Amino acid sequence: MNMIGLRLLLATVLAGATLSGCSFLSPFTTCEGTDPEVAALDELPALGLHPPGARPLDGGAADGATCTDDSGDAWLSADRLYVYDGNAADVLAYYARELPAAGWHPVQRIGAAPEGRTPVTCFESPDRPSVIVAFESPADLREFYLVDPGPEPTGSVPRTWFHVFAEASTDGSRMDCY
């Protein structure tokens, strides 16, 4: 083989290896093989904490745990929806007491929830997934979570709907808030 042919062959092999290598070695994580981690996250004790009198809203799209990889990089989440005959301040006061007692600390970075919904509060732990408390409207519960929030409050007692969820990396390790 002549020198030009050899160079052309090597250039072709190098280009092919480079291009195919990008598709074979994705820099992103996937949900493949995450079932044990998803199950463990679903059992996170913080998800079962709720103010006395709060009732779970079962059957919605946000009830349970899953792995999501629709953004190119996968992560785990576990969700619980609750309704509470009281106000959001009471709910936040409950979590501000109970989650630190269980090993989570509030993060000062509090921001707006997606789609302009009510702000969220996030708690982190050095070795466990973050836990987020967000408040939802009945319309958001119907539209985003496919759940019936129940009747609107009557009289002077407020009703609050809230969402407690945890997020973790695909190996079950902690993720920072935001």
Side-chain angles (χ1 to χ4, degrees):
M1 179 180 285
N2 65 25
M3 198 57 138
I4 294 175
L6 180 60
R7 285 183 185 167
L8 184 58
L9 176 64
L10 289 175
T12 303
V13 169
L14 181 60
T18 301
L19 293 175
S20 66
C22 289
S23 63
F24 292 134
L25 301 174
S26 172
F28 302 110
T29 57
T30 68
C31 288
E32 188 174 327
T34 61
D35 290 345
E37 291 80 8
V38 169
L41 185 63
D42 199 36
E43 297 297 320
L44 190 69
L47 294 175
L49 295 175
H50 55 80
R55 299 173 308 281
L57 287 173
D58 293 324
D63 188 25
T66 189
C67 180
T68 304
D69 64 0
D70 64 357
S71 67
D73 210 9
W75 75 95
L76 310 179
S77 62
D79 304 85
R80 303 293 186 273
L81 293 170
Y82 293 99
V83 60
Y84 176 67
D85 290 334
N87 60 44
D90 293 339
V91 172
L92 285 176
Y94 173 83
Y95 285 105
R97 282 189 316 272
E98 297 300 320
L99 285 174
W104 279 268
H105 62 277
V107 175
Q108 296 305 313
R109 298 180 307 260
I110 299 173
E115 291 92 32
R117 290 183 273 162
T118 305
V120 299
T121 303
C122 190
F123 297 82
E124 290 180 346
S125 171
D127 58 350
R128 293 178 285 178
S130 57
V131 176
I132 298 111
V133 178
F135 296 91
E136 307 292 348
S137 72
D140 287 343
L141 289 169
R142 286 183 193 96
E143 182 179 346
F144 297 113
Y145 303 109
L146 310 176
V147 67
D148 179 10
E152 295 286 332
T154 57
S156 62
V157 176
R159 180 159 294 148
T160 302
W161 293 269
F162 63 99
H163 181 200
V164 178
F165 58 101
E167 295 183 329
S169 298
T170 54
D171 63 0
S173 63
R174 71 179 294 279
M175 287 176 58
D176 290 337
C177 292
Y178 313 103

